[in-house]
Structure formats: structure tokens, C-alpha cells
Amino acid sequence: MVTSWPASEDQPSTLPALAPPLARLIEGAGPDVGTLIAPTLDWVRTVAEVAPLPGDDTRARWRLLAETARLDVGAARMLEPHLDALAIIAEADRDGVLAEPLDTDGTWGVFAAEGGDRPVQAEQQPDGRWTLTGRKPWCSLAAHLDRALVTAWRGDERGLFAIDLRGPGVTALPGPWHARGLRQVVSAPIDLDAAAAVPVGGPGWYLRRSGFAEGGMGVAAVWWGSALPLVDALTAAASRDGADQLAAVFAGRADAASWSASVVLDTAARAVDDGRATGEAAKLLASRVRAVVAASAREILDLESRALGPGPVAVDESHARRVADLELYLRQDHADRDLARLGRLAVGASA
């Protein structure tokens, strides 16, 4: 039975500040990082060269994602899947399940959503090569990335495959994409027509691997970082001359929500690095982390609206974009359905 994850033998702590080499990458990001795709992807490649892998220094990895989101939500939305893809490839290499070495140069995505009436099917050809055919939904930035890891059906189970997004048989659709948040990160389908693919693990490996839970918690680190400037805005409002008691209440609640998210992320990162986040325990941990951080971010968004009114989202472009970006990004959490999944995991852990 797993009921708790102590952060350490003493008191819980929060994610540490970035070490100088990583901090300099954030500080040196150009003004177009997050808003323009090409310079952001160039920056993403630079950051990925020094970002720690999960299990090596997960606290620093998640702090890097959070600080990128503090800088710009769109930038973090581009960095997170690239880092996730490289981590998956490294894990597959360690597990000895790569069908052949992969060139990790360029930019990567991870396209694992399912849906539609033409799910992607994997087929092994007589010469041993694999091809993918079908339509894969929700492929963020597919028109701009170099390669991607894509899930496809191998019989009754899903397998993971690496594809060249610029190769024959791959068509990235331009839309539809009418989102007001993350407008530059178009998440549209790709059509695959006998596209060449390289297996990464066997059937079911992608979902069963130990790093799957870590990837989901990395997204939660981005949610937390995205909300940090909103906490700052609430604190600033409570610091103004004439601020009333309600302003202090809003700032206090936002601070508590942010702190709780950071403590939970730190606790989970320590579990990953200590080798305690494996198997069913990892699933429970990831569900708890995502639930707590998503609730904290939603509370901060609600407090921002109640405390600051329409002004910032009407006249402050950066603030308005952040609110819209975070509101959309949080929809990667499936709200009550994910809480139901957490409930089932918790019941199983207590049995």
C-alpha cells in the first residue's frame, strides 16, 4: 500500500532555484521566444542540450520547465514535448528496445492522442520495415517540427514509433485551430499514408514504461510555472497604497496554492530520483500531482479574475495572453474524469 511520499526525513521543501547555467538560458532568451515559432524552436534545441534527464535531477528538470513557463507559456508548451521525446528515446535505449539508433538532432514532438474514425495503424512490410497509415489528432506544431514519436495500433495494443515529419507519406494539416490561447502552437491532425516508421519499444511499452508517469508530472510543472506571474500580480495588487483586506486575502490564497503545488512537485521529483516512483505507485503519484497542481492553477486563475477584474486582460497584452494560454493548457487535465481515475487508484492502493 502506498499512501504518502515523504519529501525527506525533515520538512517538505519546494523546487530549488535554477543553477546558474540553466538560469542563464532563461535570462538570455530573446524577446521572440514563445511568440515566434522559429526562434523559440532554436532556443528549445539549445536548452535541451543541457537539460537533465528524469531520474538524474528531476527537481532541476521540472524547475527548468516551470521557469520557462514563467517566461512564456508558449515557450514551455514547445519545450516540454521536445524534452519528453528525448527522455523517451533515452529510456528506450537504456531498456534495449530501440529497433535502430535514432538521430535526435532537430526538434521533436510526442503525438499520443487518440480519436477520430481513422486511427493510425502500424503495419510491418515483407522486408521488415514498418509503415503507419491513418490520421493522428492533436499534433502540436507538426508543420514546424522535424520528427515525432507517434503512437499507432499494433493489433489490440498501441506501439510507439519514430517518424520523419518531413518525409513522404506525412501531411501536416493547417487546422482547424481557432484557440484564443496558445494561438501559435497549432495542434492539428497529421495524415499518414504508409509513412516510414521506426519502432520504439514493443506493443504497450510506451504506456508501461517507468518514465510515463514522470512525463505527465512534467506537464504539471509547466502549469505551476505558468501561474507564477499571476501570483506576482496578485501580490503587487495587495501591496499598493489603499489596498483593502480582500486584496490581501486574494494574495494569501494565491501564495498558498502556489506553495502547495511546488511542495507536491518537489516531493514527487525526489521520489523519481530516489527510484520510488515505479509501477502502480508511479501512477498514483502522477495522478495526485496532476490533481493538486491543476487545482492550484485553477484557483489562481479564479483569484486573478476576482481580484483584478477586466483591466489586465483588456489592456495588458502579456497578461491577457498568459491567462488565455494557461486556461487552454489546463484542459490537458481531464478534470473530474482524472479525479475519478485518481479515486480508483487510491482505492486500489488502500486495499
Side-chain angles (χ1 to χ4, degrees):
M1 180 175 70
V2 177
T3 58
S4 63
W5 291 88
S8 65
E9 293 181 357
D10 47 18
Q11 295 299 313
S13 60
T14 60
L15 289 178
L18 284 179
L22 293 175
R24 282 194 290 271
L25 288 171
I26 300 293
E27 295 165 359
D32 295 328
V33 166
T35 55
L36 297 182
I37 294 172
T40 304
L41 292 178
D42 287 342
W43 182 81
V44 161
R45 284 194 294 268
T46 299
V47 172
E49 292 175 358
V50 295
L53 287 170
D56 292 341
D57 190 349
T58 307
R59 298 170 79 212
R61 179 182 177 88
W62 289 354
R63 187 79 206 202
L64 172 63
L65 288 170
E67 290 299 327
T68 301
R70 186 203 291 265
L71 173 72
D72 187 273
V73 183
R77 183 66 182 83
M78 297 184 212
L79 175 64
E80 185 276 326
H82 179 73
L83 292 185
D84 191 36
L86 298 184
I88 294 169
I89 293 168
E91 185 176 5
D93 189 37
R94 289 194 305 270
D95 289 354
V97 296
L98 277 180
E100 62 184 67
L102 295 177
D103 181 359
T104 55
D105 289 341
T107 50
W108 285 77
V110 179
F111 305 151
E114 298 295 335
D117 56 4
R118 289 199 298 124
V120 178
Q121 304 290 330
E123 183 177 1
Q124 190 169 24
Q125 304 303 315
D127 61 2
R129 295 181 303 107
W130 286 86
T131 59
L132 304 184
T133 298
R135 173 169 287 186
K136 174 63 71 172
W138 302 109
C139 299
S140 301
L141 290 176
H144 301 274
L145 300 177
D146 299 306
R147 300 175 181 87
L149 298 177
V150 180
T151 54
W153 290 97
R154 298 176 61 170
D156 294 333
E157 286 196 272
R158 282 191 291 171
L160 188 67
F161 296 84
I163 64 170
D164 182 350
L165 289 170
R166 304 185 184 187
V170 181
T171 302
L173 303 183
W177 186 247
H178 304 300
R180 296 303 184 261
L182 296 170
R183 298 185 70 173
Q184 73 278 37
V185 187
V186 174
S187 295
I190 59 172
D191 280 336
L192 301 172
D193 182 9
V198 176
V200 179
W205 176 83
Y206 171 69
L207 295 175
R208 290 194 298 264
R209 64 191 177 87
S210 59
F212 184 80
E214 188 282 331
M217 292 185 283
V219 171
V222 176
W223 295 338
W224 173 61
S226 301
L228 290 176
L230 304 182
V231 177
D232 293 341
L234 290 165
T235 301
S239 303
R240 296 191 187 105
D241 290 341
D244 61 13
Q245 189 172 3
L246 275 179
V249 169
F250 292 138
R253 287 184 57 187
D255 177 79
S258 176
W259 181 82
S260 66
S262 179
V263 169
V264 165
L265 286 164
D266 182 81
T267 302
R270 291 172 185 265
V272 171
D273 289 345
D274 292 346
R276 292 179 286 130
T278 59
E280 291 301 307
K283 295 179 183 178
L284 176 59
L285 178 63
S287 290
R288 285 172 169 171
V289 168
R290 287 172 63 93
V292 170
V293 177
S296 295
R298 288 193 178 99
E299 181 177 9
I300 291 166
L301 279 168
D302 179 63
L303 291 167
E304 180 276 338
S305 174
R306 293 165 60 189
L308 304 182
V313 294
V315 302
D316 184 332
E317 190 275 338
S318 177
H319 186 101
R321 180 159 50 88
R322 177 171 297 277
V323 168
D325 288 352
L326 179 54
E327 286 179 339
L328 179 61
Y329 204 175
L330 275 172
R331 296 199 179 201
Q332 282 197 5
D333 171 69
H334 300 109
D336 291 345
R337 289 181 174 84
D338 278 356
L339 289 175
R341 180 174 182 272
L342 171 56
R344 289 191 290 270
L345 289 169
V347 169
S350 65

